[in-house]
Amino acid sequence: MNRNRLFFICITVLICVQMLLPQTGVAVEQTNTTYEDRMNLYKKTETLTNVPWHYLAAVDTYERGLRKALRDRDEEQGLISIFYSPSQWSGPLNPDLGDTNPLSINVFGGVGLDGDGDGIADRFNDADILFTFAHFLEKYGFKEEDMRIALWEYYKREQSVNIVQSHARTYKELGRLDLHDHSFVMPLHANYSYRSTWGAKRGLGRPSYT
């Protein structure tokens, strides 16, 4: 087995383990409020964009697993784990990669948006991050197939799309986020085969960054 393939297998296993491990002790007590706060953000963003909250939650969960498994991402600073690089958020030609002005970000082709109405598009602000991603999804429509197309355009990897959609169906069916105590985050009957993806671009199911 070559070294690259072994590396990707290890990353995949780490993501799955992080998602499946139950939370215990103090961590559970601390996450009760976290789940409520996240749900409030998902529902508020759903109201603003019409993107179903369970899809926002599913993407956030998937990205949280990537954050824990990959070394090229910092730990999240807030509630939302969806990641944007500075150039992706502010624009690849933007001379100020810390730009938070929605107008100049748009001029330079950045994706960052103001999600809480404070006039600032901050890539570390939970409301801004979630609104920015929801805005991307809403351009494709709101049906399940529309969501699938949007997720493919973002990740360019079918397995990532399958995982996110499986999460979304679970969240929608159960209507809550705190699944660790009594059930698996990933549906037990979902197919998570990684066959024939090795060596492909974006093999970990994330956008490329500059």
Side-chain angles (χ1 to χ4, degrees), residues 16-81:
C16 293
V17 168
Q18 290 285 354
M19 290 179 175
L20 292 174
L21 280 177
Q23 301 183 26
T24 58
V26 177
V28 172
E29 296 178 3
Q30 292 176 344
T31 55
N32 288 336
T33 300
T34 301
Y35 288 136
E36 293 176 8
D37 291 342
R38 282 189 185 130
M39 181 65 87
N40 288 337
L41 278 169
Y42 300 149
K43 290 292 185 68
K44 180 180 179 179
T45 305
E46 179 184 47
T47 300
L48 292 172
T49 64
N50 290 320
V51 173
W53 73 266
H54 48 275
Y55 267 97
L56 299 174
V59 170
D60 193 27
T61 297
Y62 179 67
E63 293 265 331
R64 186 164 294 109
L66 289 180
R67 284 225 189 213
K68 292 178 179 180
L70 300 176
R71 296 183 180 274
D72 63 347
R73 297 187 180 190
D74 298 330
E75 291 186 7
E76 65 267 32
Q77 298 183 17
L79 294 169
I80 303 302
S81 290

Side-chain angles (χ1 to χ4, degrees), residues 4-191:
N4 288 338
R5 181 171 181 178
L6 180 60
F7 171 78
F8 286 122
I9 289 176
C10 291
I11 291 295
T12 299
V13 171
L14 281 172
I15 292 172
C16 293
V17 168
Q18 290 285 354
M19 290 179 175
L20 292 174
L21 280 177
Q23 301 183 26
T24 58
V26 177
V28 172
E29 296 178 3
Q30 292 176 344
T31 55
N32 288 336
T33 300
T34 301
Y35 288 136
E36 293 176 8
D37 291 342
R38 282 189 185 130
M39 181 65 87
N40 288 337
L41 278 169
Y42 300 149
K43 290 292 185 68
K44 180 180 179 179
T45 305
E46 179 184 47
T47 300
L48 292 172
T49 64
N50 290 320
V51 173
W53 73 266
H54 48 275
Y55 267 97
L56 299 174
V59 170
D60 193 27
T61 297
Y62 179 67
E63 293 265 331
R64 186 164 294 109
L66 289 180
R67 284 225 189 213
K68 292 178 179 180
L70 300 176
R71 296 183 180 274
D72 63 347
R73 297 187 180 190
D74 298 330
E75 291 186 7
E76 65 267 32
Q77 298 183 17
L79 294 169
I80 303 302
S81 290
I82 297 170
F83 176 81
Y84 291 100
S85 70
S87 63
Q88 191 181 19
W89 184 268
S90 302
L93 300 179
N94 195 328
D96 179 11
L97 292 182
D99 194 357
T100 60
N101 186 318
L103 294 178
S104 56
I105 287 174
N106 182 62
V107 167
F108 287 106
V111 299
L113 297 171
D114 171 20
D116 56 9
D118 64 357
I120 295 173
D122 182 355
R123 77 182 186 96
F124 298 108
N125 177 284
D126 289 326
D128 294 352
I129 296 167
L130 199 59
F131 181 77
T132 296
F133 193 86
H135 178 70
F136 172 82
L137 293 180
E138 71 174 337
K139 293 185 295 184
Y140 292 85
F142 307 104
K143 297 179 181 179
E144 186 167 345
E145 185 57 32
D146 297 330
M147 290 291 139
R148 185 171 186 87
I149 293 171
L151 291 168
W152 167 255
E153 290 298 325
Y154 189 78
Y155 289 110
K156 301 296 186 183
R157 182 172 180 272
E158 184 176 359
Q159 199 58 44
S160 298
V161 177
N162 291 339
I163 292 173
V164 171
Q165 286 205 304
S166 293
H167 285 324
R169 284 191 288 268
T170 300
Y171 285 132
K172 181 180 180 180
E173 181 177 348
L174 297 180
R176 58 191 178 90
L177 301 176
D178 53 329
L179 308 180
H180 293 85
D181 294 338
H182 305 292
S183 60
F184 289 108
V185 176
M186 295 181 184
L188 293 176
H189 301 295
N191 178 8

